[in-house]
Amino acid sequence: MTTLAPPRRIRVLAAPRHRHDEILTPAALDFVGRLVAAFGERRRDLMKERRRQALRLASGSPLGFPLATAAVRADDSWQVAPPAPGLSDRRVEITGPPDRRTAVDALTSGAQVWMADFEDATAPTWNNIVGGQLALLDAIEGRIDFGTADGTEHRPGDRVATLMVRPRGWHLDEAHLEYDGAPVPAALVDFGLYFFHCARRQIDAGRGPYFYLPKLENRYEARLWNDVFVLAQELLGIPRGTVRATVLIETITAAFEMEEILYELREHSAGLNAGRWDYLFSLIKTFGHRTDFLLPDRAKVTMAAPFMRAYTELLVRTCHQRGAHAIGGMAAQVPQKDPAADAAALATVRLDKEREAEDGFDGSWVAHPALVRVCREVFDGVLGDRPHQLDRTRGDVEAAPADLLSVRRISGPPTPEGVRTNVAVALRYFSAWLRGRGAVAVDGLMEDAATAEIARVQIWQWLRHRVIGREEVLGILDDELAALGAAYPWAPLDEVRGLFERTALGGELPLFFTPEAYTEHLVRRTGAGA
């Protein structure tokens, strides 16, 4: 068993709140500190390599399947671990932030899996992070409930979804925890606190500690997660291989290393997911300086686009040839008050899920409980009584690097409606995020950090290539800020404008979700104890 000296240099920089002491116990903080001591420097090195890779690609270096790992791809003998308890049938997965109301709605929605999201759907205030851990602990312990305004009490029943947790990505820091004078990697905070408090409880309940891993860019970042899992299991005396993790393929570089990512995590792998919105953001972030990667309106970049088809079909083939689940992308629609609009939204969801099921996916994501039924019906029609379709190895799929990058066939300038929609989505999301909400419904869609990133980065790309004018965007910005203020008088309009100008109108492309954004826009606004 691996042993490390107990860290005594981890500090909470936020004022305590109700029940925070149940999560931030000395033992739990020591556990997180051990993980930071073991992996913090390696994580920093990997983030430096991300920046070097971005510079190489920006300077014209080609992107392709790594030559160094050709033997891994050519070796037909290796497979990932078999499905863990509760993860064999994943035909419907629902996602949402780890708050108490969402927990009840998701766990009782009829979906097979609930992905509790500390990342794109959670604004990282300290109360959201620790409160989310409390909500998960209470849900596992069976003591969570939610009372509505009419006095009705809702509690999860006996048949509940399998819980998976998505920690924040490797690129983010947690400003409220400090180890050795530096912020703690947010990924290790979210993973470590949940694992320490809930891993054994989940095993005792017949499930296990299961995770979704976001924003990976290469096999080395997957290897780091695997080593984290190994050490965490050793420290708590949990058998190696108990952890399972599904990786979201939501960066363009990860799409070229899908087999390698599965290989690095194979003893802990639960498959791959097609993270479509962040994938588009990553594409623009990586190649947005090139005119041949100019994307049209977000609504026009559908999953039928050739480069998106190549990405998703390669994902299914890769997973199934290695015995791993392939999980489809998010259906972000939410119920509409207008019956006709609601019917149209459900029809759109149905078509999307039919394409995924027919392509070989084993399940898919929805953002709202009202979409569970239609997603289930579609996958029931293809799977029947089978829990998955891993037997469809999709040997017919061939995807060359050029296929994954064939954007030119759909490239083009935006429409005026597309520009206005992107400005409106970004502003409304920024306003919600600054007030502590990480997911917000806008015009019938559940917007989170991934879709907000698409909205603002497209504005940046269109301005860079001069297919829209700065004055045009500023005029729309003024109009949409006025509309936002009229609808939500409490919206922090000056901060929303400043955030939009810095992340969408600048000459270079800054990242919205960075450690600097955390500190500047959350800690500064609401205080270190937020």
Side-chain angles (χ1 to χ4, degrees):
M1 178 175 175
T2 300
T3 59
L4 294 173
R8 303 199 182 278
R9 295 166 290 181
I10 193 162
R11 293 196 305 146
V12 179
L13 303 182
R17 291 198 176 187
H18 178 58
R19 295 187 64 199
H20 279 202
D21 59 330
E22 297 178 37
I23 296 297
L24 304 174
T25 64
L29 292 174
D30 276 357
F31 180 76
V32 173
R34 291 174 188 268
L35 298 180
V36 179
F39 302 113
E41 184 175 355
R42 188 165 145 201
R43 173 257 188 181
R44 285 191 295 272
D45 290 342
L46 287 174
M47 295 305 98
K48 291 177 183 177
E49 178 55 31
R50 276 193 186 185
R51 291 188 285 273
R52 287 192 289 266
Q53 172 74 329
L55 290 173
R56 286 193 291 267
L57 293 174
S59 66
S61 295
L63 181 59
F65 300 111
L67 293 176
T69 54
V72 171
R73 296 192 299 275
D75 183 356
D76 294 332
S77 66
W78 66 268
Q79 296 275 290
V80 304
L87 291 181
S88 182
D89 187 333
R90 301 173 61 182
R91 67 189 68 198
V92 186
E93 300 192 351
I94 189 168
T95 75
D99 59 67
R100 301 179 76 82
R101 178 172 184 170
T102 300
V104 173
D105 290 345
L107 290 170
T108 61
S109 66
Q112 277 71 27
V113 170
W114 171 38
M115 195 272 286
D117 188 11
F118 282 92
E119 198 218 16
D120 282 351
T122 296
T125 66
W126 188 232
N127 202 46
N128 282 350
I129 297 302
V130 183
Q133 296 283 348
L134 278 165
L136 297 183
L137 178 60
D138 284 350
I140 293 166
E141 290 284 278
R143 57 177 182 248
I144 195 168
D145 60 82
F146 177 76
T148 62
D150 63 6
T152 304
E153 292 290 330
H154 299 276
R155 295 176 182 270
D158 293 331
R159 296 182 61 187
V160 298
T162 297
L163 174 61
M164 302 184 77
V165 173
R166 176 159 70 168
R168 285 167 285 176
W170 280 128
H171 60 299
L172 297 174
D173 288 327
E174 175 48 68
H176 301 93
L177 271 185
E178 183 180 272
Y179 180 81
D180 234 10
V184 173
L188 296 181
V189 175
D190 300 340
F191 166 81
L193 292 176
Y194 175 75
F195 192 88
F196 181 84
H197 289 291
C198 299
R200 179 63 65 184
R201 287 177 166 93
Q202 287 284 57
I203 295 166
D204 292 344
R207 300 292 173 88
Y210 305 146
F211 299 92
Y212 259 97
L213 306 180
K215 307 293 188 291
L216 269 64
E217 296 197 3
N218 55 57
R219 61 192 181 276
Y220 302 110
E221 296 176 17
R223 184 181 301 169
L224 176 57
W225 267 120
N226 196 74
D227 291 346
V228 170
F229 297 156
V230 170
L231 177 59
Q233 290 166 132
E234 288 181 358
L235 290 174
L236 295 190
I238 290 171
R240 179 165 172 159
T242 301
V243 171
R244 289 290 192 278
T246 300
V247 173
L248 292 114
I249 300 300
E250 52 186 353
T251 64
I252 186 65
T253 52
F256 287 83
E257 297 193 30
M258 286 193 262
E259 284 202 78
E260 290 86 344
I261 287 169
L262 286 178
Y263 181 81
E264 295 294 345
L265 284 160
R266 59 195 182 280
E267 63 180 330
H268 297 113
S269 179
L272 304 177
N273 171 282
R276 62 176 75 172
W277 300 121
D278 272 305
Y279 188 76
L280 290 175
F281 165 70
S282 174
L283 185 80
I284 299 173
K285 180 170 71 75
T286 305
F287 298 112
H289 60 288
R290 291 171 48 174
T291 56
D292 54 333
F293 281 86
L294 183 66
L295 293 182
D297 295 357
R298 167 183 151 191
K300 294 182 178 180
V301 188
T302 69
M303 299 306 293
F307 75 101
M308 295 299 281
R309 292 288 293 159
Y311 149 63
T312 54
E313 290 196 316
L314 178 60
L315 189 150
V316 173
R317 189 196 76 179
T318 300
C319 284
H320 286 186
Q321 288 184 345
R322 302 302 181 180
H325 280 90
I327 306 299
M330 171 71 80
Q333 288 78 3
V334 296
Q336 301 289 290
K337 293 182 179 179
D338 175 40
D342 196 46
L346 288 175
T348 299
V349 173
R350 184 176 292 276
L351 285 173
D352 182 50
K353 301 312 171 191
E354 286 175 349
R355 174 192 53 77
E356 290 180 329
E358 290 166 3
D359 282 350
F361 280 95
D362 304 292
S364 192
W365 274 14
V366 298
H368 194 279
L371 304 182
V372 169
R373 180 181 59 83
V374 65
C375 186
R376 177 187 288 278
E377 287 176 355
V378 169
F379 277 89
D380 283 351
V382 172
L383 297 178
D385 294 331
R386 296 178 299 156
H388 48 67
Q389 47 184 337
L390 294 178
D391 57 315
R392 286 195 62 195
T393 54
R394 293 305 310 268
D396 58 304
V397 172
E398 294 290 339
D403 298 320
L404 294 171
L405 300 172
S406 61
V407 174
R408 193 175 296 204
R409 290 172 62 181
I410 67 158
S411 65
T415 65
E417 301 103 285
V419 177
R420 184 171 293 276
T421 295
N422 277 357
V423 173
V425 166
L427 296 183
R428 280 156 178 74
Y429 185 76
F430 289 173
S431 176
W433 191 80
L434 287 167
R435 290 181 289 109
R437 293 180 58 202
V440 59
V442 178
D443 295 333
L445 295 175
M446 186 62 71
E447 308 286 0
D448 65 7
T451 52
E453 288 282 50
I454 283 290
R456 65 95 183 174
V457 79
Q458 283 202 297
I459 296 293
W460 173 85
Q461 186 187 39
W462 296 334
L463 283 170
R464 180 184 178 92
H465 294 295
R466 299 181 181 179
V467 295
I468 58 175
R470 185 179 177 86
E471 293 305 314
E472 175 189 352
V473 176
L474 289 174
I476 295 173
L477 176 62
D478 289 337
D479 291 345
E480 292 301 327
L481 281 170
L484 177 63
Y488 306 102
W490 57 84
L493 299 184
D494 289 343
E495 290 181 79
V496 170
R497 172 186 280 274
L499 185 52
F500 183 86
E501 288 178 347
R502 283 189 291 275
T503 62
L505 303 186
E508 295 302 320
L509 177 61
L511 296 181
F512 174 36
F513 285 100
T514 63
E516 292 76 18
Y518 273 38
T519 302
E520 182 179 356
H521 300 297
L522 280 176
V523 180
R524 177 180 60 80
R525 172 178 168 77
T526 55

